[in-house]
Amino acid sequence: MTDTLPLPAPFNPDLTLCGGQAFRWTKDPAGPACQPAYQGVVGDMVVRLTRMDSGTGSGTDPGNAASGHWRIQLLNHPLTPTRQRQLRAYFDLDRDYTTAHRAVMTRLAALQRHGQRPEPPFQADDPAHDPKRFPAAGFPAADGLTPARPDLAGLRLLRQPWFEVMVSFVISSNNHLPRIRQIINVISRTFGQPITPTDYAFPTPEALAAASPTTLRHTCRVGYRDHALHQLATQIAHNLTFWETAATCPTPELRRHLLTLPGIGPKVAECILLFGFHRWEAFPIDVWVRRSLLACLGRPTAPPRPTARWPPSPPARSAPSPASPSSTSLNSPGSTSPAAPNPTPHRMRGSPPSSNRV
């Protein structure tokens, strides 16, 4: 039985662990031998990643997280064969990412050359379908899309516990990475089981369902998401048998089930499919991904501003007619009817925003 498990090169811990797909990892910039180290919680395991070399040998760059070779250490359990299998599954070590990355970039380059539009991953009558998910009608030539993307070298998709991913991405809406990590850590410390004096496992659906929305809001600081999280955990706890076997469902069916849960919309559902159930056909698109895609494809990253005024100006008011006896009698003698205030035009749902908004 070995004490460490090596990670295949290239592996980039910054992109993989701190890039926004997982929230239980922290980076220690001054680890052993002044090399960065990464520590996180995977299930009931406290895991630490360190570089196998000193960073001064051939082929390594101390400033590049993807250079050199990395190893996995367990801090609270022996690295038994069972634990090794769990870690291999979590880091998806049995997949050839070099070949997968090359195949994806080759397909995108082919679409780019032929000006074809990729097929939608689900049907138009699917409730998750939104035409805004496919912003470009075609793929014009763009220099930014090439088969070689060294800045993405070493990125891997983690196989995380699905309930932890559900809660994490419900919290992620209108939030930022440091605060999401803080909330997840507080939730784990408040409702999870201790696995070391300072580390806690993520709570089970039953444990989180027992928490009141008031506790979630004020103790865990989840804000307006308190009722959605409580209802989400309650529904999962009441249907735990189904969700524990949901990994066997076809992706369209699983997507439909996710969209029935509180706090989960189309984008969060895609994140859960990709990061919680490891469905590579899922593709979350938010405003940042949309901008990156448009820039990469040579399209403008922001819609053009309308030249005409929006909303349209209200029709011109006609000249007031002479006051009738019935109308003048409503006012005191010698007074005139007060002028009606000019109503502010209401911006219709879905209309372009005003010029002072991004």
Side-chain angles (χ1 to χ4, degrees), residues 8 40 59 98 112 136 170 187 202 233 249 340:
T98 301
Q112 181 187 39
V170 169
I187 288 177
F202 194 78
C249 292

Side-chain angles (χ1 to χ4, degrees), residues 194-273:
I195 52 180
T196 73
T198 57
D199 298 285
Y200 295 80
F202 194 78
T204 63
E206 297 89 343
L208 198 57
S212 67
T214 302
T215 302
L216 292 172
R217 173 180 284 266
H218 296 292
T219 301
C220 303
R221 302 297 181 92
V222 301
Y224 66 89
R225 310 163 188 88
D226 51 355
H227 288 281
L229 286 175
H230 176 73
Q231 295 169 6
L232 171 68
T234 301
Q235 290 192 24
I236 296 296
H238 289 168
N239 299 278
L240 193 56
T241 302
F242 166 77
W243 285 105
E244 287 178 340
T245 59
T248 62
C249 292
T251 298
E253 179 183 347
L254 182 54
R255 181 183 286 111
R256 286 192 292 269
H257 285 300
L258 288 172
L259 289 171
T260 65
L261 294 174
I264 296 180
K267 187 258 181 178
V268 171
E270 295 300 300
C271 291
I272 297 170
L273 286 169

Side-chain angles (χ1 to χ4, degrees), residues 10 39 74-75 84 104 115 176 203 230 255 269-270 278 280 282 292 307 314 317 320 345:
Q39 186 167 316
L74 281 186
L75 302 185
Q84 290 188 36
V104 169
H176 54 86
H230 176 73
R255 181 183 286 111
E270 295 300 300
H278 216 65
W280 275 42
S292 298
T307 55
R317 298 173 62 89

Side-chain angles (χ1 to χ4, degrees), residues 52-303:
M52 296 175 63
D53 47 61
S54 62
T56 58
S58 60
T60 61
D61 177 8
N64 183 3
S67 67
H69 293 77
W70 293 83
R71 62 184 175 186
I72 305 171
Q73 295 175 292
L74 281 186
L75 302 185
N76 65 328
H77 292 289
L79 191 58
T80 62
T82 300
R83 299 286 182 182
Q84 290 188 36
R85 287 193 295 270
Q86 293 173 347
L87 290 171
R88 290 190 66 85
Y90 178 81
F91 286 99
D92 203 20
L93 299 186
D94 295 326
R95 185 187 296 271
D96 183 357
Y97 272 76
T98 301
T99 301
H101 178 256
R102 188 182 302 116
V104 169
M105 299 310 297
T106 300
R107 181 171 180 264
L108 287 176
L111 291 172
Q112 181 187 39
R113 286 194 303 271
H114 296 289
Q116 297 174 351
R117 179 176 180 174
E119 296 181 0
F122 35 82
Q123 300 298 323
D125 57 354
D126 191 289
H129 179 75
D130 182 355
K132 292 184 294 183
R133 292 171 54 84
F134 310 102
F139 282 79
D143 297 334
L145 195 59
T146 60
R149 288 296 301 269
D151 54 313
L152 298 180
L155 172 63
R156 305 184 77 88
L157 294 182
L158 303 173
R159 291 179 176 268
Q160 303 176 68
W162 55 267
F163 180 64
E164 180 178 332
V165 172
M166 280 186 180
V167 174
S168 298
F169 281 95
V170 169
I171 293 172
S172 73
S173 299
N174 299 317
N175 223 330
H176 54 86
L177 290 179
R179 190 167 184 272
I180 299 170
R181 294 190 185 102
Q182 182 182 24
I183 293 173
I184 293 297
N185 287 332
V186 173
I187 288 177
S188 301
R189 189 169 62 248
T190 306
F191 306 109
Q193 292 295 320
I195 52 180
T196 73
T198 57
D199 298 285
Y200 295 80
F202 194 78
T204 63
E206 297 89 343
L208 198 57
S212 67
T214 302
T215 302
L216 292 172
R217 173 180 284 266
H218 296 292
T219 301
C220 303
R221 302 297 181 92
V222 301
Y224 66 89
R225 310 163 188 88
D226 51 355
H227 288 281
L229 286 175
H230 176 73
Q231 295 169 6
L232 171 68
T234 301
Q235 290 192 24
I236 296 296
H238 289 168
N239 299 278
L240 193 56
T241 302
F242 166 77
W243 285 105
E244 287 178 340
T245 59
T248 62
C249 292
T251 298
E253 179 183 347
L254 182 54
R255 181 183 286 111
R256 286 192 292 269
H257 285 300
L258 288 172
L259 289 171
T260 65
L261 294 174
I264 296 180
K267 187 258 181 178
V268 171
E270 295 300 300
C271 291
I272 297 170
L273 286 169
L274 182 60
F275 303 128
F277 292 98
H278 216 65
R279 304 298 175 93
W280 275 42
E281 62 270 33
F283 190 49
I285 296 182
D286 59 8
V287 62
W288 304 107
V289 174
R290 176 185 167 89
R291 289 177 184 174
S292 298
L293 286 173
L294 292 175
C296 189
L297 297 171
R299 294 298 184 96
T301 57

